[in-house]
Amino acid sequence: MKTGSMLYEGKAKKMYATDDPAVLLVDYKNSLTAFNAQKKAEMEGKGRLNNLISSRLFEYLNKKGIPTHFIERIDETRQLVKKVEIIPVEVVTRNITTGTLCRRLGVEEGMVLPHPLVEYYLKSDELGDPLILEDHAILFNWSTKEELEKIREITLRVNQLLKEYFEKLDVILVDFKLEFGKDHEGNLLLSDEISPDTCRFWDRSSGEKLDKDRFRKDLGNVLGAYQEIWSRITSRGE
Ligand code: ADP
Ligand code: UDP
């Protein structure tokens, strides 16, 4: 597969065309950003770990029958994916209360929710990804009602699968963000990445944060936390 021109450089990844118009090459960067890119850093080795972790989780979800964009990892920092048109709605699922949910609603930190909470945010750097209702997405044509129903159903399945996957690694899946897109045939595919940049992971026994919150909150040893997640994933042997 030949690498073509760079189509897009985002905060965490670069997207390249390939000789197949339906396939993109994703190169994971070492940049870390938080608070809508107001806080930035470079961290050698972060791109590699996110590529390894995201590839492994997408392989797992593909195997479980979740429709995803992931094709294959080609080296330490790069992977091939099916090109999609991204639906501009970020889907956040929460199992435990923390982060913006607590800040916005004044609810207590660390409550285990009796069932998962699914929230929608408009994907817009200019507006700071505001929280939206399903009706906003439908009325402003960011997505259709049918797509949102499917997105919610897939999201809840992904949550169940990943929660179980991480429980076996003594990691609690606190919350995470997903993105969806449509390929050239109109198939709805889980896209983007699943990594410590986009999920909150807590160690089951100590409660230690093993994700980007270490960067957001200046807790130190950010790379060590990402490495710990990768080590536990590889210990699972699949
Ligand atoms: P951001 O745009 O938020 O800075 P990234 O650095 O992660 O984020 O850039 C990757 C971009 O590629 C994102 O906008 C994401 O929505 C988009 N994307 C992810 N997967 C695909 C795909 N399969 N096809 C097309 N675009 C994708
Ligand atoms: N998240 C993300 N990208 C975003 C916003 C949130 O990946 O643009 C993830 C974040 O890592 C966390 C979950 O979604 O796992 C919920 O994040 P929250 O709404 O609490 O916002 P944050 O505190 O991350 O700003």
Side-chain angles (χ1 to χ4, degrees):
M1 183 77 57
K2 277 227 304 273
T3 310
S5 56
M6 187 170 76
L7 302 175
Y8 177 77
E9 175 165 6
K11 297 185 287 293
K13 304 187 283 298
K14 291 178 188 170
M15 314 298 279
Y16 293 90
T18 66
D19 42 18
D20 182 340
V23 175
L24 295 183
L25 186 150
V26 188
D27 193 358
Y28 279 66
K29 303 183 355 173
N30 287 329
S31 324
L32 263 169
T33 63
F35 313 118
N36 206 15
Q38 286 169 42
K39 181 168 177 172
K40 290 185 202 168
E42 283 296 304
M43 198 151 294
E44 190 62 38
K46 199 268 300 191
R48 169 181 171 271
L49 286 167
N50 272 4
N51 182 47
L52 297 176
I53 294 167
S54 195
S55 295
R56 192 60 77 86
L57 296 177
F58 271 98
E59 273 163 15
Y60 175 71
L61 294 174
N62 277 343
K63 243 184 8 205
K64 293 287 181 186
I66 302 290
T68 88
H69 74 156
F70 183 77
I71 303 172
E72 61 175 342
R73 180 167 73 78
I74 49 174
D75 62 21
E76 295 266 286
T77 62
R78 300 181 305 162
Q79 55 180 249
L80 294 177
V81 300
K82 293 176 193 161
K83 182 177 182 168
V84 299
E85 196 183 321
I86 291 285
I87 294 170
V89 174
E90 297 192 349
V91 184
V92 168
T93 306
R94 302 175 188 272
N95 296 306
I96 298 186
T97 60
T98 190
T100 58
L101 176 68
C102 297
R103 287 202 291 281
R104 188 183 313 111
L105 302 181
V107 295
E108 198 185 313
E109 279 261 348
M111 276 169 59
V112 179
L113 295 168
H115 59 83
L117 172 64
V118 179
E119 298 176 329
Y120 303 102
Y121 292 83
L122 176 64
K123 190 172 155 63
S124 163
D125 285 341
E126 302 88 81
L127 300 176
D129 294 351
L131 180 69
I132 57 166
L133 304 175
E134 248 187 64
D135 267 354
H136 290 121
I138 296 165
L139 285 166
F140 301 118
N141 294 316
W142 297 321
S143 186
T144 65
K145 191 167 171 45
E146 293 69 36
E147 272 164 14
L148 287 170
E149 271 165 20
K150 267 204 212 165
I151 285 173
R152 190 182 158 86
E153 189 190 311
I154 298 171
T155 297
L156 290 171
R157 271 168 65 206
V158 169
N159 182 45
Q160 197 53 42
L161 287 165
L162 292 183
K163 246 173 71 172
E164 285 166 14
Y165 182 98
F166 281 102
E167 259 162 29
K168 293 190 181 136
L169 309 180
D170 282 331
V171 170
I172 299 170
L173 177 64
V174 175
D175 58 28
F176 59 98
K177 182 264 303 178
L178 298 178
E179 292 186 24
F180 290 84
K182 279 178 291 176
D183 69 9
H184 63 286
E185 291 168 330
N187 300 307
L188 183 70
L189 301 179
L190 175 61
S191 303
D192 204 46
E193 68 178 277
I194 306 177
S195 73
D197 272 7
T198 63
C199 302
R200 284 195 174 97
F201 297 123
W202 292 352
D203 177 67
R204 192 157 67 112
S205 45
S206 66
E208 192 188 356
K209 296 182 195 309
L210 298 173
D211 57 62
K212 198 161 89 171
D213 266 354
R214 300 204 72 81
F215 172 67
R216 292 190 188 97
K217 295 169 182 274
D218 295 317
L219 300 175
N221 198 22
V222 180
L223 204 67
Y226 285 45
Q227 178 60 56
E228 179 62 25
I229 291 293
W230 177 236
S231 301
R232 292 198 198 183
I233 287 174
T234 52
S235 75
R236 187 180 153 114
E238 51 169 300

